[in-house]
Structure formats: structure tokens, C-alpha cells
Amino acid sequence: MLSAFKEANVGPSDIDYISAHGTATIFNDEMEAIALNRLGLDAVPLNSLKGYFGHTLGASGLLETIVGMHSLYHNTLYPSKGFTELGVSQPLNIITAPTAKDLNCFLKTASGFGGCNTAAVFKKVRS
């Protein structure tokens, strides 16, 4: 995430929302929650889209990035379908209802088998 921030020339305070990997598995969600909290992102609205599409393996990051771009374009936060209670030890701000919000920048995280993790920052282009 730090590398993604550096490449995008942003900091944690610039992130309007997070599209998390969010598999609803104990180890992945805990690791992701700890990392987000270490960067001070615990209050940033966060969703996981796997409740809509399932885990499409390698395609999940791309599919969720496209929906994230749609969120930016329409200034809308989409909820995490099926979320009922936080299952991690760290606080997170899970989006539970569609919400209109001025959005300019989002963080997409993806976690892979064997620790192949990535993060990317996407920003609106102003013309």
C-alpha cells in the first residue's frame, strides 16, 4: 500500500474509500484489517464486492477495480453484500448501504495465494 501511495503521489488522508480484497476468511481479513489500521485507514469507508460476484480468483482484482472506477464516476459507495458483523480484531468502517459521496481517490487491495499481494490507487482525472 505504501508503494501504491508513493507511485500515485497520495497519502492515506487522500483515500476516499477502500475496495478491499475481503474474502470473509479469518486469516485474509485479519491481515488486511491490521495493515489498513497500521496506515490509519480504519475510518475510511470500505467495501468488499465478493458477496456480489463470489471469488473469481485472478479476475477478482480486475472486476473489483472496474466497479471501483464506477463508484468514482458516480460518486457512490456500494455496500458489502451480506455483511452483518465485523469478524476481525481491528476497527474498520464497512459500507452497509449505498451512499452518495464526493469521491476522488480509492485504494484497491488484492491478496493472492502464497503472499502475492498488491495494492493500487485510482484517482479521477480532472479535465
Side-chain angles (χ1 to χ4, degrees):
M1 285 185 261
L2 290 174
S3 294
F5 291 160
K6 183 177 179 182
E7 186 174 327
N9 197 30
V10 301
S13 64
D14 296 308
I15 303 300
D16 294 317
Y17 88 96
I18 301 163
S19 175
H21 190 67
T23 58
T25 59
I26 294 170
F27 295 115
N28 178 81
D29 288 1
E30 183 69 13
M31 171 272 307
E32 201 164 25
I34 290 168
L36 292 168
N37 271 264
R38 286 182 181 168
L39 292 173
L41 295 166
D42 51 296
V44 176
L46 176 146
N47 69 9
S48 172
L49 299 173
K50 295 202 174 39
Y52 296 98
F53 310 112
H55 196 314
T56 56
L57 297 178
S60 66
L62 177 60
L63 180 62
E64 293 163 0
T65 297
I66 292 167
V67 174
M69 292 172 164
H70 188 78
S71 286
L72 283 184
Y73 183 78
H74 291 285
N75 290 307
T76 302
L77 296 172
Y78 300 111
S80 294
K81 184 177 181 182
F83 174 79
T84 56
E85 68 181 74
L86 196 60
V88 295
S89 66
Q90 304 293 309
L92 294 171
N93 183 10
I94 309 299
I95 304 164
T96 58
T99 307
K101 181 181 179 185
D102 185 34
L103 300 172
N104 296 299
C105 184
F106 83 97
L107 172 68
K108 173 67 195 125
T109 62
S111 306
F113 296 114
C116 297
N117 305 314
T118 192
V121 173
F122 297 88
K123 300 186 282 188
K124 277 185 184 173
V125 176
R126 304 285 184 197
S127 49

